[in-house]
Amino acid sequence: MEQHRLDVFQVIADPSRRQILHLLSKDSRTINSLAENFDMSRPAVSKHIKVLYNAGFISIQDIGRERHCVLKQDGFKELQAWLAYYDKFWGDKLDKLGVLMNDKMNKK
């Protein structure tokens, strides 16, 4: 059965997934060590990890008998591309406003 892939905003909309990303920003962690930080079952944490994995925010590496989660750039790149568009949009608007304000000040 094919899984529906969430877009990056649906992925980061969940506070638990954002907290998982924050924890992984400090160091890689096993799934069990991540689960210790939440008041939910390990299977529930595993579902969040699967969503993050499918969206390209994390990778999972098998080291011995443990599975380690590590941040991955792919999901963040998609998010950054979306944000960069609006960053440029607002930067351009503010630049035009600055030019208008300067023109108005120089006409006085």
Side-chain angles (χ1 to χ4, degrees):
M1 184 158 105
E2 186 176 318
Q3 283 234 317
H4 172 69
R5 184 179 183 269
L6 300 175
D7 76 24
V8 293
F9 292 100
Q10 290 171 309
V11 172
I12 64 168
D14 186 278
S16 297
R17 289 194 284 268
R18 289 194 308 269
Q19 186 176 355
I20 290 170
L21 292 173
H22 183 72
L23 290 167
L24 292 175
S25 72
K26 297 175 181 167
D27 199 8
S28 68
R29 296 208 177 193
T30 64
I31 295 173
N32 286 333
S33 71
L34 284 169
E36 292 170 359
N37 292 278
F38 297 94
D39 189 24
M40 66 177 85
S41 67
R42 187 191 180 287
V45 172
S46 290
K47 285 182 182 182
H48 286 298
I49 289 170
K50 185 174 184 178
V51 169
L52 291 167
Y53 174 82
N54 288 338
F57 281 93
I58 66 170
S59 64
I60 300 173
Q61 302 168 347
D62 292 329
I63 301 174
R65 296 184 329 181
E66 295 182 325
R67 302 184 80 208
H68 289 258
C69 300
V70 180
L71 284 183
K72 189 176 165 189
Q73 273 190 319
D74 297 0
F76 292 101
K77 284 181 182 177
E78 187 177 342
L79 183 61
Q80 182 60 41
W82 190 89
L83 290 171
Y85 172 84
Y86 288 99
D87 190 40
K88 181 178 178 346
F89 171 83
W90 287 111
D92 291 347
K93 293 286 186 188
L94 291 172
D95 289 345
K96 288 177 184 176
L97 178 61
V99 168
L100 287 172
M101 297 291 288
N102 286 336
D103 288 350
K104 188 168 185 131
M105 294 296 285
N106 291 334
K107 289 181 180 178
K108 285 188 175 187

